[in-house]
């Protein structure tokens, strides 16, 4: 149900729309599993790099592999994203589920690997070739051994996400109820995973 807004909360900078949305009660193991459930369902995200003299630049990317908290992407080495990563290895990944409004925001460090990396063959799927094309020379064919095929690995140091706690109908009721009554809609929880949490996530996947 929507929560009333009190003057004391605003004066103390503890608006329920800001402070009460953060979930510090759910066990970390459950928070981590909920994160995995959200991103594994979506499979496609925005990878945001830092472009020199421009700033943040995002593009849609299919996740080739998730290993614990770390994400891997197959990409064309001739694309500008590799220039961006050479300029700055600080990147962001975002996921958005339009059916639930769940979202994930990840900050991390990107590293790139050439076609010689054996993980490319492991993470490759036939659908990847659609984004590379086939030159017909037996080499540049969009396959895992295509020299254009490179790997981007993103290791997060901070993850935050929001998980809906209501149904689609409940979301509408909360928003409409809050707007009509002046109370604050209560639709979900925001969670944070810090670097120490992420390191533990890596340990459990090794």
């Amino acid at each position: 149900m929507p929560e009333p807004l009190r003057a004391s909360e605003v004066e103390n900078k503890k608006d329920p729309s800001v402070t009460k949305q953060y979930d510090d009660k759910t066990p970390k193991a459950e928070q981590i599993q909920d994160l995995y459930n959200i991103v594994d369902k979506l499979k496609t995200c925005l990878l945001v790099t830092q472009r020199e003299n421009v700033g943040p630049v995002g593009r849609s990317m299919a996740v080739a592999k998730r290993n614990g908290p770390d994400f891997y992407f197959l990409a064309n080495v001739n694309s500008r994203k590799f220039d961006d990563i050479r300029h700055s290895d600080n990147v962001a990944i975002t996921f958005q589920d339009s059916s639930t409004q769940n979202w994930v925001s990840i900050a991390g460090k990107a590293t790139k690997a050439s076609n010689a990396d054996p993980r490319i063959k492991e993470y490759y799927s036939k659908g990847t070739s659609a984004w590379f094309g086939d030159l017909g020379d037996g080499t540049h064919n969009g396959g895992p051994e295509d020299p254009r095929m490179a790997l981007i690995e993103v290791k997060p140091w901070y993850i935050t996400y929001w998980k809906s706690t209501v149904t689609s109908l409940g979301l509408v009721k909360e928003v409409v109820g809050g707007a009509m009554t002046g109370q604050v809609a209560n639709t979900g929880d925001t969670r944070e995973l810090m670097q120490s949490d992420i390191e533990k996530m890596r340990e459990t996947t090794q």
Side-chain angles (χ1 to χ4, degrees):
M1 295 294 293
E3 296 186 31
L5 183 63
R6 298 179 177 86
S8 60
E9 292 176 322
V10 175
E11 292 166 0
N12 294 326
K13 299 182 179 180
K14 294 183 178 180
D15 293 46
S17 61
V18 177
T19 59
K20 293 183 180 179
Q21 66 176 310
Y22 284 92
D23 178 7
D24 58 2
K25 297 178 181 178
T26 302
K28 285 295 182 182
E30 184 177 338
Q31 292 190 33
I32 292 167
Q33 188 57 56
D34 285 342
L35 167 70
Y36 291 160
N37 291 342
I38 293 172
V39 299
D40 290 347
K41 173 188 174 185
L42 296 174
K43 301 185 182 300
T44 301
C45 65
L46 282 182
L47 173 64
V48 183
T49 54
Q50 297 292 325
R51 183 157 298 167
E52 189 172 12
N53 299 322
V54 174
V57 177
R59 77 284 293 159
S60 180
M61 296 285 291
V63 177
K65 174 74 174 181
R66 178 187 63 76
N67 185 29
D70 302 326
F71 293 83
Y72 299 84
F73 305 91
L74 297 177
N76 192 321
V77 72
N78 296 322
S79 65
R80 295 180 68 185
K81 66 179 72 68
F82 286 90
D83 294 330
D84 296 346
I85 294 171
R86 279 188 285 271
H87 168 65
S88 172
D89 58 11
N90 292 329
V91 300
I93 300 173
T94 62
F95 293 86
Q96 175 81 51
D97 186 341
S98 59
S99 66
T100 62
Q101 303 307 315
N102 293 342
W103 56 260
V104 179
S105 178
I106 298 170
K109 179 178 180 178
T111 56
K112 53 191 187 308
S114 71
N115 187 254
D117 193 305
R119 293 175 295 180
I120 289 178
K121 289 184 178 180
E122 180 183 351
Y123 301 160
Y124 177 83
S125 64
K126 181 60 178 176
T128 306
S129 64
W131 307 106
F132 286 78
D134 186 349
L135 190 60
D137 61 357
T139 300
H140 301 87
N141 55 12
E145 295 179 349
D146 187 323
R148 297 172 297 166
M149 187 82 62
L151 183 70
I152 297 173
E153 176 183 8
V154 177
K155 287 185 171 292
W157 64 68
Y158 174 75
I159 300 173
T160 183
Y161 73 96
W162 184 86
K163 181 178 182 294
S164 174
T165 56
V166 297
T167 63
S168 297
L169 179 58
L171 176 66
V172 173
K173 288 182 176 179
E174 285 286 329
V175 173
V176 172
M180 292 181 65
T181 64
Q183 298 182 340
V184 179
N186 186 5
T187 58
D189 296 323
T190 301
R191 296 168 176 173
E192 292 181 301
L193 297 170
M194 312 305 287
Q195 189 161 6
S196 58
D197 300 315
I198 295 169
E199 290 299 335
K200 292 177 181 177
M201 291 163 69
R202 290 195 182 101
E203 292 173 2
T204 61
T205 57
Q206 294 177 350

